[in-house]
Amino acid sequence: MFTRSKLEIKTIPELRDLCRRYGVKPTGSAAYKVSYLTSLMAFPQLALGQLREGRGLKSPGLSAIQ
């Protein structure tokens, strides 16, 4: 979903907005870029794990797609 190089060129406010969009909190101090990078890099794996366990994000049903 995110590559480290694409995230590294973003500013802290841009990274903060991405974290807010996905409901992810920075790991450590919000004043450092690396805190956001770490959380956003781990987000896809965490989301997939939660989906498999039936928690967190859900696949849309057929009625939502139509």
Side-chain angles (χ1 to χ4, degrees):
M1 185 171 187
F2 302 113
T3 62
R4 186 167 190 96
S5 58
K6 286 184 180 180
L7 290 174
E8 284 179 341
I9 61 174
K10 295 193 178 294
T11 63
I12 290 178
E14 290 172 326
L15 292 170
R16 185 180 321 120
D17 290 342
L18 277 175
C19 282
R20 285 182 184 154
R21 180 183 305 160
Y22 294 110
V24 177
K25 294 184 180 179
T27 55
S29 173
Y32 298 105
K33 210 176 201 182
V34 71
S35 298
Y36 293 103
L37 293 174
T38 303
S39 295
L40 289 168
M41 293 294 295
F43 170 71
Q45 291 300 317
L46 293 173
L48 287 174
Q50 289 178 354
L51 181 65
R52 288 184 190 115
E53 295 169 1
R55 306 183 295 128
L57 300 174
K58 305 276 189 264
S59 295
L62 182 59
S63 62
I65 295 171
Q66 294 175 342

